[in-house]
Amino acid sequence: MSDFAYSKGLKRRILIVEDEEINREILGNMLQDDYAVSYAENGAQALEMLHEKKVRYSLILLDLLMPVMSGEELLGKIKADEMLSGIPVIVMTSEKPAEVSSIKHGADDFITKPYDSPEVIKARCERIIQLYEDKSIIRSAEKDELTGLFTREFFHEYVRQADDYDEISSDDAIVLNVEHFHMINEMFGRDMGDEILKKIANALMQIFGSGMYIGCRPDADYFYLYVDHRDSYDGLFTGLSDELEKYSHIPKIRIRAGVYQNVDKQISIDERFDHAKLACDRIRGDYTREVNFYSREMNDADLFHERLIHDIDDAIANRNLTVFYQPKYGIQSEKPELRSAEALIRWKHPELGMISPGEFIPLFESNGLIQKLDHYVWREAASQIRKWRDKFGVTVPVSVNVSRVDIYDPELENGLIEIIEESGINVSDLMLEITESAYADDAKGLTDVADKLRARGFKIEMDDFGTGYSSLNMITTIPIDVLKIDMSFIRNMNRDEKNRKLVELVMEIADFLKVPAVAEGVEDESQLEALKKMGCQLIQGYYFSKPVPPEDFEKFIKQEA
Ligand code: C2E
Ligand code: CA
Ligand code: CA
């Protein structure tokens, strides 16, 4: 047994099965200083408690004469049960013949009634427990062989005991993870990986060993710790990462930790560690943070996201996801002219109300669901172009947003062509907006994709230009048809000289590339006038209209006619 698990007096648990209250009390009083004690009034109740998975009993003290289910019957059941047969049983009786028969049926020892002195009883209990624990089979199930930490099952039991022992103390649940552990295994071999895990376990014992510390390695490169509360975790694990680097010569081994401080002891142990793990996983890949603390808001956000992921299919099927259209106007003519539109998704959730794309687009981008959503929008937009053409005899080209995930889908081109053919519009009517940062991430890859799409007749707009930190060199070589300046520059262009200069610069770049520039987020006349003077061709923004449902968009088409 691990000593440190008991440094705060964690106790093994004994189950007393006895129908007479006075006897339960006497035995309980004798044992409760040294053991955690549970009670059952008859065999049936005891059996139920024994099957409660997460509690582990080190010993059963069993009365033989009881109502409902006798001690003898229970003993038979325990010994026949694979899960329970490893728990030692001491029977308590005043009848000699019963002693003999119970030993025959698998009891390990007996205590006679009336009870002996507490010392004798305690000594007998201790001896039997010791005997059982020395059987190595039990020990190997209790500990993770590699690190010497508890296995998940035993960890649960000891955390529970820590709770029982001291209900009012404040404790923290911690989840640690080794970033990119699989890469370490692949690049440096499993032996090195194992060594690192061992080192971590040892270091944790050094860090927390002086107070209460219960540790477990539930799987691969995750460590769970239950420790005395501490207010600050500043720099606590920094030494650990440094030491691992020095030992292994692997640069940038990073340990990240999620901490759920002052755990709520009313919630289950699993839930406490789910909280800590959530905090831990939230800083995956964020090299600026070593420790992250769980908060209520974090949990709410997580639940909200899970809900959105869960509801997306229904949303598509029930048409709660709809596409709005925002007009783009040409401004170089005397009177602004409707030229095209951008398709923007809207989610009207039956219970949660309107959800902003700013909320769910990044989420779906991170888990790949965005593809499904984008395809839906493309299909809707294409069929809308067709409907307007049929109804008004004019074509309003529509730009749709294309996410990073879509770009690397080998079926992108075919998927788009299929949509075009289904709706019977021209390829150039469905324009594709791709954010600048995607180009900056992988200029070569994107250039190849863009070349192919343009060869099929698609027009490509570079979205959010100015925010992606592209190099000038790259901009002059990548294939695009429209440059769309990000609205953050427009917002401040009349207030701040630097932003105004930047907008002018973008207009010059567009001019140099011989492509039209679009300014988005134009909200007032002064912005429009300034942009017009600079030679900006197209404008999108609240000045003309917010994104609106297709039926409302029709008034802009009618106005043109
Ligand atoms: P974006 O592509 O840059 O779209 C422009 C955003 O600016 C839209 O927000 C639009 O409503 C808003 N906007 C337009 N004019 C003005 C203005 O004058 N003032 C202000 N303050 N805002 C203006 P929205 O619809 O909330 O979309 C946010 C982002 O979500 C979009 O940014 C785009 O990145 C993403 N998104 C929206 N729909 C889709 C979609 O169908 N697929 C993908 N992949 N992303 C989408
Ligand atoms: Ca866009
Ligand atoms: Ca944009």
Side-chain angles (χ1 to χ4, degrees):
M1 283 263 162
S2 158
D3 296 321
F4 52 88
Y6 293 96
S7 60
K8 206 176 171 185
L10 294 183
K11 301 163 177 177
R12 291 167 178 78
R13 183 175 293 276
I14 294 182
L15 176 62
I16 297 176
V17 193
E18 163 69 75
D19 60 322
E20 279 182 59
E21 193 181 343
I22 179 77
N23 286 342
R24 288 201 299 269
E25 215 167 280
I26 295 171
L27 276 172
N29 283 337
M30 287 181 191
L31 297 168
Q32 68 190 8
D33 284 345
D34 298 301
Y35 298 95
V37 184
S38 302
Y39 303 93
E41 291 176 24
N42 58 60
Q45 193 189 6
L47 204 59
E48 208 170 286
M49 291 171 72
L50 288 166
H51 277 120
E52 158 84 61
K53 284 236 163 38
K54 285 167 189 164
V55 186
R56 208 189 96 83
Y57 295 95
S58 294
L59 177 66
I60 299 166
L61 292 182
L62 181 61
D63 181 28
L64 286 181
L65 295 174
M66 289 181 299
V68 189
M69 185 192 288
S70 76
E72 200 139 349
E73 191 184 343
L74 177 63
L75 182 61
K77 285 191 196 292
I78 289 172
K79 291 301 157 189
D81 186 325
E82 207 179 310
M83 297 288 291
L84 304 179
S85 61
I87 307 173
V89 180
I90 299 181
V91 297
M92 307 181 287
T93 175
S94 45
E95 297 166 33
K96 266 277 168 230
E99 277 168 21
V100 178
S101 96
S102 48
I103 297 282
K104 270 194 199 142
H105 286 96
D108 297 275
D109 201 354
F110 54 85
I111 290 173
T112 49
K113 289 185 189 177
Y115 300 124
D116 287 317
S117 74
E119 280 65 39
V120 173
I121 297 212
K122 275 200 275 188
R124 293 201 141 183
C125 292
E126 204 183 304
R127 188 182 68 90
I128 295 290
I129 291 174
Q130 202 63 53
L131 218 64
Y132 265 70
E133 287 185 356
D134 283 346
K135 291 185 185 168
S136 63
I137 180 149
I138 291 190
R139 222 181 304 148
S140 74
E142 182 180 271
K143 295 289 190 59
D144 161 31
E145 265 179 46
L146 183 67
T147 59
L149 295 170
F150 292 115
T151 53
R152 191 191 273 271
E153 223 190 352
F154 280 78
F155 177 69
H156 266 273
E157 170 56 11
Y158 290 128
V159 170
R160 189 186 314 277
Q161 286 186 25
D163 283 356
D164 283 358
Y165 180 69
D166 189 352
E167 275 171 39
I168 53 163
S169 74
S170 304
D171 300 315
D172 296 348
I174 306 172
V175 170
L176 284 156
N177 182 252
V178 187
E179 188 110 1
H180 300 313
F181 183 69
H182 66 281
M183 301 250 289
I184 296 177
N185 269 339
E186 276 163 31
M187 293 170 66
F188 301 91
R190 286 196 78 90
D191 287 349
M192 177 56 98
D194 285 354
E195 280 310 306
I196 285 174
L197 296 176
K198 265 195 252 178
K199 285 257 174 221
I200 294 172
N202 285 337
L204 292 174
M205 226 178 284
Q206 300 285 318
I207 295 172
F208 294 104
S210 61
M212 186 212 41
Y213 163 88
I214 309 171
C216 144
R217 190 172 65 104
D219 52 28
D221 56 342
Y222 276 97
F223 292 83
Y224 284 16
L225 308 174
Y226 199 65
V227 303
D228 281 331
H229 167 69
R230 50 172 80 213
D231 287 328
S232 167
Y233 280 80
D234 285 350
L236 198 65
F237 303 115
T238 311
L240 175 55
S241 298
D242 293 348
E243 196 183 313
L244 290 174
E245 274 190 41
K246 223 184 289 163
Y247 163 77
S248 64
H249 303 292
I250 302 171
K252 279 224 214 127
I253 293 192
R254 174 174 179 253
I255 309 289
R256 61 191 154 82
V259 182
Y260 170 33
Q261 287 175 301
N262 295 315
V263 300
D264 173 359
K265 299 197 178 179
Q266 303 305 311
I267 64 174
S268 74
I269 295 166
D270 278 334
E271 238 177 304
R272 298 177 209 173
F273 283 92
D274 284 349
H275 288 350
K277 187 164 184 288
L278 178 64
C280 178
D281 289 342
R282 274 290 174 97
I283 50 169
R284 170 175 286 141
D286 176 356
Y287 282 80
T288 62
R289 292 167 73 189
E290 190 172 67
V291 181
N292 191 25
F293 295 94
Y294 166 80
S295 69
R296 184 65 199 269
E297 296 72 58
M298 192 181 284
N299 200 40
D300 291 349
D302 199 55
L303 288 177
F304 180 61
H305 283 170
E306 268 174 32
R307 173 90 190 262
L308 296 184
I309 291 167
H310 177 266
D311 292 352
I312 180 76
D313 285 333
D314 279 352
I316 291 178
N318 302 334
R319 301 193 65 81
N320 293 324
L321 278 171
T322 52
V323 180
F324 278 32
Y325 297 85
Q326 187 176 32
K328 295 182 190 179
Y329 278 88
I331 56 166
Q332 289 303 335
S333 47
E334 206 178 309
K335 203 171 119 288
E337 285 170 6
L338 177 67
R339 290 285 179 75
S340 57
E342 178 175 4
L344 293 155
I345 189 119
R346 293 292 176 265
W347 187 347
K348 193 154 187 267
H349 194 285
E351 280 147 39
L352 304 172
M354 264 310 211
I355 309 167
S356 146
E359 192 100 54
F360 60 85
I361 296 285
L363 170 70
F364 293 152
E365 275 174 344
S366 71
N367 64 17
L369 283 174
I370 189 74
Q371 266 195 289
K372 193 186 279 192
L373 198 139
D374 279 343
H375 280 252
Y376 172 77
V377 174
W378 302 343
R379 191 161 268 124
E380 287 288 303
S383 100
Q384 191 61 60
I385 295 169
R386 173 64 194 255
K387 279 183 206 153
W388 282 331
R389 195 180 82 188
D390 290 349
K391 189 165 174 185
F392 300 102
V394 291
T395 294
V396 183
V398 173
S399 309
V400 292
N401 290 286
V402 177
S403 305
R404 234 170 279 253
V405 186
D406 303 317
I407 295 164
Y408 298 105
D409 173 10
E411 285 302 306
L412 173 66
E413 240 182 289
N414 291 339
L416 280 165
I417 292 292
E418 201 183 297
I419 289 172
I420 297 288
E421 283 169 358
E422 266 172 29
S423 56
I425 59 170
N426 295 322
V427 180
S428 58
D429 296 342
L430 193 71
M431 300 191 288
L432 310 175
E433 291 192 11
I434 301 177
T435 186
E436 186 203 352
S437 59
Y439 288 87
D441 281 358
D442 177 10
K444 171 81 179 68
L446 222 166
T447 301
D448 292 349
V449 176
D451 276 337
K452 277 196 205 130
L453 290 168
R454 290 176 90 223
R456 301 291 288 262
F458 286 102
K459 296 257 177 290
I460 294 184
E461 297 180 47
M462 188 190 263
D463 200 0
D464 311 317
F465 186 70
T467 60
Y469 307 103
S470 311
S471 66
L472 272 177
N473 179 44
M474 186 193 94
I475 295 160
T476 52
T477 53
I478 49 180
I480 53 164
D481 302 284
V482 178
L483 203 58
K484 195 169 182 186
I485 181 168
D486 191 67
M487 66 180 133
S488 58
F489 299 102
I490 308 301
R491 194 170 299 141
N492 299 313
M493 66 181 285
N494 286 340
R495 265 179 265 151
D496 163 358
E497 185 56 24
K498 204 175 118 199
N499 267 291
R500 195 190 172 84
K501 278 255 146 52
L502 276 169
V503 176
E504 274 171 9
L505 186 67
V506 173
M507 295 308 148
E508 279 167 32
I509 293 173
D511 201 38
F512 173 79
L513 296 175
K514 301 197 171 49
V515 299
V518 185
E520 72 178 325
V522 176
E523 295 184 351
D524 60 47
E525 182 126 27
S526 70
Q527 291 165 336
L528 183 141
E529 286 307 324
L531 286 160
K532 188 172 178 176
K533 270 198 205 112
M534 290 178 199
C536 178
Q537 272 92 346
L538 291 155
I539 272 182
Q540 177 183 352
Y542 294 175
Y543 175 76
F544 289 111
S545 171
K546 292 195 169 187
V548 293
E551 46 297 358
D552 293 359
F553 192 89
E554 294 187 355
K555 69 169 179 273
F556 302 123
I557 305 176
K558 286 180 196 152
Q559 271 166 17
E560 289 304 301

